[in-house]
Amino acid sequence: MCLAVSVLLVDPHQCTVNPPKSWLTSMSHFIVGMFVMDTWQYFIHRWMHVNKFLYKHLHSHHHRLSIPYALGALYNHPLEALLLDSVGAVVSQYVSGMGCEVTMWFFAFASAKTVLDHSGYMFPINPLHNLFFNNARYHDVHHDLKHIKRNFSQPFFTCWDVMLGTYEDPTGFHLDKGGKKEDMCLQGSEKKEK
């Protein structure tokens, strides 16, 4: 909220200078914004894991939740929330050239996507889980202690993880296709019994 007020004070005419654009232009700005947000989030998120000071004093608050749940997506240290989410959103807006109306939808979409990705469920009727590889199944791997330095990408794509070698395939990890958590130990013992 403070950042939004600061941006309005620094750039009070941002919504009047950039009038609404065509649907196609707005959509292209939205997509560019998604890639900008992913780039910002990946590098800041990874930095918070690699830098021991940042992890200990900022990002470890979020990872106190070893099992993700929806609102846990927003369980962050205030400075992390400012740096990772708020500044990242403003950078996405300005770099992509989104107007105010598109920015409003972009922020709402990114927030909803992040909450869904931390839900720990693969809802069968949620098209976002099928549209994006970066979903609850993918991010659940990152919150497992064994893979805490993997799958940093958030909230849309997995490009940076794939290109920089931090991708961990979520197939068969915790979530099955029905959207329920599996107990991997039970699953292994059931296979042995058959």
Side-chain angles (χ1 to χ4, degrees), residues 175-190:
L175 298 172
D176 70 6
K177 290 183 182 176
K180 301 172 191 161
K181 292 254 183 188
E182 290 181 338
D183 184 331
M184 296 308 281
C185 297
L186 268 178
Q187 185 183 25
S189 64
E190 287 171 1

Side-chain angles (χ1 to χ4, degrees), residues 66-69 117-121 134-145 147 151 154 170 173-175 181-182:
S66 58
I67 299 173
Y69 69 96
D117 291 348
H118 282 82
S119 69
Y121 292 99
N134 192 335
N135 52 35
R137 179 185 308 234
Y138 181 81
H139 200 68
D140 200 38
V141 172
H142 175 72
H143 277 268
D144 182 76
L145 291 176
H147 301 293
N151 294 9
Q154 188 67 22
F173 188 67
H174 281 291
L175 298 172
K181 292 254 183 188
E182 290 181 338

Side-chain angles (χ1 to χ4, degrees), residues 112-126:
K113 176 85 171 62
T114 300
V115 168
L116 283 171
D117 291 348
H118 282 82
S119 69
Y121 292 99
M122 290 290 290
F123 298 105
I125 58 169
N126 184 341

